[in-house]
Amino acid sequence: RPSAAAAGARPCTSRPTPPSTRAAAACIYDRDPVQPLQWEGALAHFKARLASGEDVFGPLIRRFLLENPHRVSVTLLPDGGMAARAEQEERAKVEAFRQKLSEAEAASVAANTLRLKQLQEAADPPEALACVPSLRLSDVDPKITHVPTSEAQLSGGVTLLTHDLPTNNVLYAEVLLDMGGLPARLLPLVPL
């Protein structure tokens, strides 16, 4: 499988852009390099807008997602020979490793492999099985847990259900869409 770098794509990282990089980028474009480091005021202004009930995200979603004219098309083509090549590469690696081993080392590897296979196929002893956690019916609360639910009707007859639960300020959202009006020929495209 080609790597992202081999395909010309930039690797994805989960690290945020450090302030020094943002400041350097401002310099390159003839902007004030200190301005990106002074974020407290902008954050306070943003929080005030949110607190006032202003729709802060709607215009951004509309501008940068819904009405964004930029598109990319990706075509994935199957490689019928990939599995055979991977197996051939694996066999070559094993053979190269085998060639470096002495007779004694090869015998040791074979013996260890056989021992490992025997251990993996052997039944677990009762004391090991006793360590596996299990539930009895008495461990389960017979009462159904009630999740507090609020229901609201949105425009277009959409029902919104919310559950006020302690989630450490993490928002969990599940969106269900009515696919009844979708032609059957398009159903295979839904997961895309």
Side-chain angles (χ1 to χ4, degrees), residues 15-34:
R15 295 185 308 269
T17 306
S20 58
T21 303
R22 290 193 300 269
C27 278
I28 292 170
Y29 295 105
D30 232 6
R31 289 188 235 132
D32 179 8
V34 178

Side-chain angles (χ1 to χ4, degrees), residues 28-153:
I28 292 170
Y29 295 105
D30 232 6
R31 289 188 235 132
D32 179 8
V34 178
Q35 191 274 332
L37 303 175
Q38 298 171 334
W39 52 268
E40 292 93 349
L43 181 61
H45 177 69
F46 180 75
K47 286 182 175 182
R49 289 174 59 196
L50 281 176
S52 73
E54 179 184 346
D55 181 12
V56 177
F57 294 108
L60 294 174
I61 291 170
R62 189 174 308 102
R63 177 179 171 198
F64 291 111
L65 297 176
L66 300 177
E67 296 173 357
N68 188 336
H70 297 84
R71 302 288 182 266
V72 64
S73 295
V74 177
T75 304
L76 301 175
L77 301 173
D79 183 353
M82 182 178 173
R85 279 195 312 277
E87 185 176 339
Q88 184 179 5
E89 288 172 11
E90 182 70 20
R91 287 183 189 277
K93 285 179 186 177
V94 169
E95 184 56 33
F97 177 74
R98 169 70 178 94
Q99 294 296 326
K100 294 178 184 177
L101 296 177
S102 68
E103 286 298 321
E105 290 171 328
S108 175
V109 168
N112 287 340
T113 302
L114 181 60
R115 176 74 179 128
L116 176 62
K117 185 176 180 182
Q118 290 170 344
L119 288 172
Q120 289 173 333
E121 292 175 350
D124 291 324
E127 57 271 8
L129 291 174
C131 294
V132 177
S134 61
L135 288 176
R136 292 180 299 278
L137 191 55
S138 61
D139 295 327
V140 180
D141 189 352
K143 294 182 292 180
I144 296 174
T145 304
H146 174 71
V147 177
T149 304
S150 300
E151 183 175 329
Q153 292 298 318

